[in-house]
Amino acid sequence: MSKEFYPPKHAASEFHCPHCGVYAHQLWSHINGCGDFYSNGFGYQSNLSESDSLHTAVDEEYTISYCEHCCEVAFWKNSKILYPKTQIIDEPNEDLSKEVKNLYNEAGFIVNDSPRAAAALIRLALQILCKDLGEKGENINDDIKSLVVKGLDTRVQKAMDSLRVVGNNGAHPGEINLNENRDKVVKMFDIINFIAQKMITDPKELDSFFDDLPDGAKKAIEKRDGYMAGAKND
């Protein structure tokens, strides 16, 4: 992952704006309805402060956040964004397959409304990713076991098992209440990008770098490795 991503979070003073995508200061306000039968419409009044910090607790019923970079507002209710309806997670790794990207993005659009459903979709994305990595793609636990036998990096193994366990809680009731652990589900998107980086992107970049070496150098390496293999067999 090339950069840290901070999704919109209720009452936070800074995050990546859902409008402009820039990491920026956010001002917060309660919302008061205004307007009547004779007015031109219904609007909102705010008590936006010029301070970066919150001096009083923000009412979780209806609030707005104001981005200091693009000057757009987001509407919230009970710690969830009502508007704009957009993804709050980072983009999927470019090297993921189209099917995995589609599941990733689908999960991103619903993570605010249903963290459990998003977690289940990310688990399914992991299952397909395992198939893309050469496994059967039928049972994630078996696929991880097979990859471990093949020399899977322990950090990637922990990442995969973390998604598997948390995703299971999305599909079946378990010890983790995902509706109360939205931040944990948001982290799942980072983790699947981490797996793709280590298992697909890094090897591809290394292969590309090696392929650009002079032919003479590559032949010398092949000769060396062939000699070493023969010495081991003797």
Side-chain angles (χ1 to χ4, degrees):
M1 293 165 283
S2 59
K3 58 184 175 64
E4 193 76 21
F5 180 75
Y6 296 91
K9 183 177 181 181
H10 190 258
S13 60
E14 296 175 331
F15 50 70
H16 282 88
C17 174
H19 287 283
C20 65
V22 173
Y23 182 73
H25 287 287
Q26 305 291 324
L27 301 178
W28 288 87
S29 170
H30 302 289
I31 298 176
N32 296 312
C34 61
D36 53 39
F37 181 79
Y38 299 100
S39 67
N40 292 326
F42 184 85
Y44 65 87
Q45 296 175 336
S46 66
N47 57 339
L48 292 176
S49 169
E50 294 299 324
S51 171
D52 291 336
S53 59
L54 295 170
H55 297 290
T56 58
V58 175
D59 188 332
E60 292 189 355
E61 182 62 20
Y62 287 100
T63 52
I64 62 172
S65 58
Y66 174 89
C67 175
E68 286 193 318
H69 180 265
C70 67
C71 302
E72 293 286 350
V73 297
F75 290 81
W76 300 68
K77 180 183 179 182
N78 295 328
S79 301
K80 293 182 179 180
I81 293 182
L82 297 178
Y83 171 84
K85 193 68 173 180
T86 184
Q87 289 198 117
I88 61 167
I89 43 86
D90 205 356
E91 293 293 319
N93 184 296
E94 281 299 319
D95 292 319
L96 288 167
S97 66
K98 182 178 179 180
E99 188 173 6
V100 174
K101 285 181 182 177
N102 287 341
L103 287 168
Y104 180 105
N105 289 325
E106 182 181 351
F109 279 114
I110 66 170
V111 67
N112 259 331
D113 299 323
S114 179
R116 285 184 59 204
L121 284 172
I122 289 296
R123 183 188 180 280
L124 178 57
L126 174 62
Q127 185 171 343
I128 295 172
L129 176 55
C130 286
K131 187 175 182 180
D132 293 339
L133 294 173
E135 302 304 322
K136 294 181 179 180
E138 298 173 356
N139 183 290
I140 296 178
N141 198 41
D142 290 343
D143 287 346
I144 295 174
K145 181 179 179 180
S146 175
L147 288 168
V148 168
V149 172
K150 296 175 182 177
L152 183 66
D153 186 314
T154 56
R155 294 172 299 173
V156 177
Q157 173 259 308
K158 289 180 180 179
M160 287 183 165
D161 276 323
S162 296
L163 292 186
R164 177 180 63 83
V165 172
V166 176
N168 280 342
N169 279 266
H172 310 285
E175 297 179 358
I176 306 174
N177 186 342
L178 296 182
N179 286 328
E180 296 179 0
N181 285 272
R182 172 181 163 278
D183 290 345
K184 184 180 289 293
V185 178
V186 170
K187 189 64 178 176
M188 293 176 72
F189 295 86
D190 291 335
I191 293 174
I192 202 163
N193 275 337
F194 168 81
I195 295 169
Q197 181 72 34
K198 295 300 181 183
M199 299 296 291
I200 304 174
T201 304
D202 286 351
K204 185 178 74 172
E205 291 177 352
L206 286 172
D207 287 343
S208 176
F209 189 85
F210 182 85
D211 289 342
D212 288 338
L213 294 177
D215 290 338
K218 287 188 285 188
K219 288 180 181 179
I221 293 170
E222 291 173 2
K223 182 178 180 180
R224 179 205 64 195
D225 292 345
Y227 171 79
M228 293 300 295
K232 288 181 179 179
N233 292 331
D234 291 342

